[in-house]
Each structure stands twice: as structure tokens, then as C-alpha cells.
């Protein structure tokens, strides 16, 4: 099955019903739902045809970044795919984060301008803060993912003055910029973004951190814990988050709009082009290289390790679906063996 590009544009344009309003103001009405379903279908069709960017955009667990010797490739989706490790200039050359717009029109429930800060430099200043103490680690653990998410959300709730439930509901935002989420997840996300906007004000550093930082921190916790458990090194959490960061970038794929003409590995890229960047630990966009995320992950992991020094894996870790940006874990089954608690 194949959708010609002109039919893609016409179909998506016909679903453009929000009249310039933000996705969170619209809610999941029938028009938005149809549009998101169409976008997801187009990504799957292009992936089935072998397009490497579409394969990444669909966020299917197990899909690996494409192996290529070329630093830049042209995607049938209309967005260029670039290896960020081979094009370090993209770390600062882009115009911030962008959402995937195959027709030039808004197609995602929450898009980049809904969350971008007015001054990215202010984000860096806020992200240099120290996280508050981590408390209330549960006595019983069966799945480390929801525990890590809750603990990280509590840290940012205390730091930013936001509601924990709203922080948890907004966690799919980064992935939503690239891949439509399920309807129930989208509905909760839109309500959470509205709540956070009301509490923290749009385009502020606090609002930006609220919608991106808790998920990045929780993913670092669970990826690190999974590695420690698999290697038999639990509960040795010292330096573990740094070791994970050396292997796993907190964000694996992001889209940016190039603001001026640029040359990548000898190939010209014109200003205004939309570029999808496959990251590496050394090739993160500055806006998402957040020391506070790393410090929070370290604090949460250390607190869990002290409370549960005899934690063991009780099942296979499962990757989160529809997560092309973060590619974190959806489940990390664990069990805590009985022992005297160490620390508090």
C-alpha cells in the first residue's frame, strides 16, 4: 500500500481543524484523533517501504537506528536524517526543538511552540540547580519504572512548584513531537500540559523542564538500574548514572529546523530545512543537556539502592512503545529480597 506525497498532504490538510489553537486547547476531538491516526499510519507505511527515518519515527520497540556510512540521507517523509555524531555543528545550529510536520502544518497534539522556552539560556541556569532530597521510596517493589517515574516527578514538583500528577501526565511530550500517542495517553497529556501552563506559565524555563525533565531522569534511573541488575553490580550506584550516560543518550532522536544555510559533511543543507538528528551521548542538543536531570537520576537511583540493597530482576525489561525520542523502558520487573534495611 502506498500513499503518494500529494495525497498525504491533502489528507493531512483536510484534518487541520484547530484553526491555530494549541493542541491542549483543542482536546482529543474526532478531527484530532483522525489526524493522529493518519500520521501514525503514514509513518508505518513509509517504514514498510524501507524509509529509515519513518522506521525511527514510528517508535516501535526493537527498531534500531539505521546503520549507514552516510552522515545525511533524504527521507521520503520530507525530513532529512542526520547522524549527529558526524555533524556536531547541529548541536548549536538548529533553531531549538521542532515537531514533525510532513506537510508544513500542525499535525501533533502538542507541538514545539507549545513548550519551547522564550529564552533557552534561562533553562540552562535553572537546570544547574541541585535536586531536593529524595524521600518516600516504597517498601515493596515489583516494577521499577513507575517507582522511578513517581520519585522523579516528586523531585521536580518540589523544585518547580507543580503538581505530581500533572508532571506524570506530561511525560509523553517529547515523544509526541515525533510520533502520535494513544488516545488515552494523549488526552491525559493535553490536560497535564494545560495544568502546568496554568501553574508555571507558558514558555518559561520551569514549564519547559516540567514537561521534559521528569521522563528523562526516570529513564536514566531505569536504564542504569537494568544494567546494574544484569551485571550483578546492584546496589553499587556510585558513578552508575555517568556510566549509563556514556552509552545511552537521554534523547535518541530529535527534530530541529535549520535557521541558516549549513554544510554537513560536505553536503549543503539550506536554511529552513527540517532535520531529524540521531544523537549520541556526545551529540545532544544544548537545550536537552540538563545537569539537573543527571543529578536527579543519581539521587533517585541512590535512594532506591539504599532502601532495597538486595534488589533482583524478576523478568525481562520491556521498551516503551511510541517513544522514538526517549526510547526508555516501559517495565522493569524486580523483587526485593528480605534483608535489614540499609539507610533510610
Amino acid at each position: 500500500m502506498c500513499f503518494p506525497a500529494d495525497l498525504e498532504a491533502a489528507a493531512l490538510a483536510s484534518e487541520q481543524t484547530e484553526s491555530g489553537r494549541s493542541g491542549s486547547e483543542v482536546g482529543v476531538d474526532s478531527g484530532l484523533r483522525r489526524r493522529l491516526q493518519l500520521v501514525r499510519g503514514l509513518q508505518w507505511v513509509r517504514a514498510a517501504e524501507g524509509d529509515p527515518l519513518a522506521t525511527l519515527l514510528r517508535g516501535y520497540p526493537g527498531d534500531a537506528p539505521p546503520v549507514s556510512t552516510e552522515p545525511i540521507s533524504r527521507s521520503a517523509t520530507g525530513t532529512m536524517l542526520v547522524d549527529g555524531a558526524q555533524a556536531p555543528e547541529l548541536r548549536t545550529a538548529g533553531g531549538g526543538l521542532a515537531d514533525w510536520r510532513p506537510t508544513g502544518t500542525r499535525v501533533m497534539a502538542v507541538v514545539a511552540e507549545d513548550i519551547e522556552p522564550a529564552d533557552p539560556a534561562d533553562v540552562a541556569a535553572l537546570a544547574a540547580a541541585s535536586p531536593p532530597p529524595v524521600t518516600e521510596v516504597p517498601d515493596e517493589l515489583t516494577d521499577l519504572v513507575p517507582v522511578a517515574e513517581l520519585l522523579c516527578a516528586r523531585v521536580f514538583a518540589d523544585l518547580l512548584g507543580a503538581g505530581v500528577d500533572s508532571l506524570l501526565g506530561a511525560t509523553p511530550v517529547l515523544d509526541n513531537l515525533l510520533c502520535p500517542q494513544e488516545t488515552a495517553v494523549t488526552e491525559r497529556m493535553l490536560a497535564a500540559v494545560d495544568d502546568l501552563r496554568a501553574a508555571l506559565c507558558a514558555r518559561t524555563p520551569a514549564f519547559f523542564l516540567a514537561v521534559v525533565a521528569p521522563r528523562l531522569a526516570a529513564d536514566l534511573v531505569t536504564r542504569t538500574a537494568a544494567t546494574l541488575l544484569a551485571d550483578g553490580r546492584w546496589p553499587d550506584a556510585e558513578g552508575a548514572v555517568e556510566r549509563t550516560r556514556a552509552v545511552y543518550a537521554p534523547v535518541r532522536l530529535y527534530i530541529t529546523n535549520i535557521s541558516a544555510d549549513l554544510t554537513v559533511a560536505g553536503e549543503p543543507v539550506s536554511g529552513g530545512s527540517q532535520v531529524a538528528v540521531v544523537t549520541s551521548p556526545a551529540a545532544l542538543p544544548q537545550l536537552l543537556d540538563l545537569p539537573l536531570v543527571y543529578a536527579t537520576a543519581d539521587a533517585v537511583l541512590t535512594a532506591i539502592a539504599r532502601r532495597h540493597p538486595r534488589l533482583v530482576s524478576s523478568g525481562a525489561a520491556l521498551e516503551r512503545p511510541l517513544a522514538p525520542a526517549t526510547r526508555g523502558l516501559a517495565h522493569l520487573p524486580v523483587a526485593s529480597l528480605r534483608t535489614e534495611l540499609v539507610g533510610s
Side-chain angles (χ1 to χ4, degrees), residues 132-138 147 150-152 154-155 158 299-300 303 307 344:
V134 178
T135 59
E136 300 181 34
V137 177
V147 172
L150 178 59
L151 293 176
C152 289
R154 286 175 177 167
V155 167
D158 290 344
V300 169
R307 188 69 170 171
S344 58

Side-chain angles (χ1 to χ4, degrees), residues 240-279:
V241 168
E242 279 297 314
R243 293 194 295 272
T244 298
R245 285 180 55 209
V247 179
Y248 295 102
V251 174
R252 315 295 182 82
L253 181 72
Y254 71 95
I255 286 179
T256 189
N257 293 319
I258 301 301
S259 55
D261 293 350
L262 184 69
T263 299
V264 176
E267 183 169 347
V269 179
S270 59
S273 298
Q274 187 180 80
V275 174
V277 184
V278 179
T279 70

Side-chain angles (χ1 to χ4, degrees), residues 6-96:
D6 57 340
L7 290 185
E8 291 182 12
L12 286 169
S14 71
E15 296 296 343
Q16 189 65 26
T17 59
E18 64 264 42
S19 302
R21 297 175 293 172
S22 77
S24 53
E25 291 170 342
V26 175
V28 187
D29 61 15
S30 58
L32 176 59
R33 186 177 296 110
R34 288 194 303 271
R35 188 171 67 256
L36 297 179
Q37 290 170 344
L38 178 61
V39 170
R40 188 178 298 120
L42 294 176
Q43 290 176 343
W44 276 83
V45 166
R46 291 303 187 200
E49 294 172 344
D51 188 284
L53 176 56
T55 299
L56 297 181
L57 287 175
R58 67 179 183 168
Y60 187 72
D63 282 344
V67 177
S68 174
T69 58
E70 299 296 327
I72 186 168
S73 60
R74 309 282 172 172
S75 168
T77 65
T79 302
M80 288 178 288
L81 181 63
V82 175
D83 182 347
Q86 298 188 54
E89 60 269 36
L90 288 175
R91 187 171 183 267
T92 57

